[in-house]
Amino acid sequence: DQQVKQNSPSLSVQEGRISILNCDYTNSMFDYFLWYKKYPAEGPTFLISISSIKDKNEDGRFTVFLNKSAKHLSLHIVPSQPGDSAVYFCAARLQGAQKLVFGQGTRLTINP
Amino acid sequence: DTGVSQDPRHKITKRGQNVTFRCDPISEHNRLYWYRQTLGQGPEFLTYFQNEAQLEKSRLLSDRFSAERPKGSFSTLEIQRTEQGDSAMYLCASSSWERQGSGELFFGEGSRLTVL
């Protein structure tokens, strides 16, 4: 039962343009959503998070939007830079729990 | 460097052998987690510790798997009688009291297991 889904395995974007990564979830009891970035041969690194009581959180070039009615969140990166090329994981935490449930990941490639 | 460190980075073993992975979390972090990641998938939760107490174990953690955190600092993950299906990246993560509200975890670089 995949509670967190990233339906796009890969995404290619031109440098300077906006990158939009999408994530869908099924469990309405998730209270926090996070995005992680992973380079090859490294562990995932935290990027940005959002509480379920908010609909937007912004940190520099990164903005996460949450649409609870649609059970959908998205990560916007603008402008995209070559160093943003990585695998991005969406994750969610159940209220009262400690573990994170991860999506399958989306490989983002920024083309010069 | 004061990040999460894992050892070994890569382990190749024959089916049926036992393997052990070690994780040293960020020193002030009281929570430690083990995740497993297979090709094309996101990390899957295995277990977590608060200090030395193991508070949750996933159904993925069969009887062949055992994790310990004896003094509330480093942790070990042992897999007995390895099977080819155990081949994966084993990720350790830690979190602090202050960050646990948002669920933010700090991951190590992982230990890749290959079972022949």
Side-chain angles (χ1 to χ4, degrees):
Chain A
D1 177 26
Q2 190 74 27
Q3 296 187 71
V4 178
K5 293 184 181 180
Q6 294 175 258
N7 292 316
S8 298
S10 62
L11 176 66
S12 186
V13 174
Q14 193 171 1
E15 181 179 359
R17 298 292 188 105
I18 183 171
S19 296
I20 300 177
L21 297 105
N22 294 302
C23 178
D24 297 297
Y25 63 95
T26 57
N27 195 327
S28 58
M29 297 302 293
F30 287 135
D31 67 347
Y32 257 95
F33 301 90
L34 304 89
W35 285 94
Y36 280 81
K37 176 180 177 179
K38 186 179 182 307
Y39 292 119
E42 294 185 11
T45 55
F46 171 76
L47 201 54
I48 192 169
S49 65
I50 187 168
S51 163
S52 61
I53 64 173
K54 296 186 175 180
D55 54 19
K56 178 182 174 182
N57 189 26
E58 192 171 354
D59 183 3
R61 296 186 299 114
F62 303 91
T63 303
V64 57
F65 295 92
L66 176 63
N67 183 334
K68 282 183 290 184
S69 61
K71 293 190 173 65
H72 177 85
L73 67 155
S74 60
L75 174 68
H76 293 212
I77 306 173
V78 55
S80 300
Q81 299 174 354
D84 297 329
S85 295
V87 177
Y88 288 79
F89 291 100
C90 169
R93 190 188 71 174
L94 273 171
Q95 189 175 11
Q98 291 303 317
K99 67 181 182 184
L100 296 180
V101 180
F102 284 83
Q104 307 95 310
T106 296
R107 180 177 300 279
L108 176 64
T109 302
I110 305 301
N111 301 308
Chain B
D1 182 73
T2 56
V4 178
S5 64
Q6 294 188 242
D7 183 70
R9 294 290 308 279
H10 194 181
K11 178 73 176 178
I12 301 173
T13 190
K14 293 182 179 179
R15 188 177 55 188
Q17 298 295 304
N18 299 344
V19 297
T20 299
F21 301 114
R22 176 182 170 122
C23 171
D24 287 272
I26 295 171
S27 58
E28 62 269 24
H29 286 185
N30 63 332
R31 295 192 179 208
L32 185 148
Y33 305 76
W34 285 99
Y35 282 78
R36 180 174 71 185
Q37 185 180 12
T38 53
L39 198 63
Q41 300 297 316
E44 295 175 291
F45 171 80
L46 292 178
T47 188
Y48 101 94
F49 294 83
Q50 180 169 310
N51 301 314
E52 65 275 10
Q54 188 174 19
L55 297 185
E56 187 174 351
K57 291 169 62 173
S58 164
R59 291 190 305 265
L60 294 174
L61 218 63
S62 75
D63 292 344
R64 297 183 298 105
F65 288 70
S66 63
E68 293 183 345
R69 193 182 184 199
K71 296 183 180 179
S73 56
F74 74 92
S75 175
T76 58
L77 176 68
E78 181 184 17
I79 309 173
Q80 297 181 326
R81 305 181 303 280
T82 52
E83 302 173 355
Q84 288 184 326
D86 297 331
S87 295
M89 176 74 82
Y90 290 85
L91 293 162
C92 177
S94 66
S95 69
S96 66
W97 177 259
E98 292 80 16
R99 299 291 185 111
Q100 67 184 14
S102 66
E104 180 183 344
L105 303 181
F106 295 81
F107 282 89
E109 295 177 323
S111 293
R112 180 170 296 284
L113 174 65
T114 302
V115 181
L116 303 176

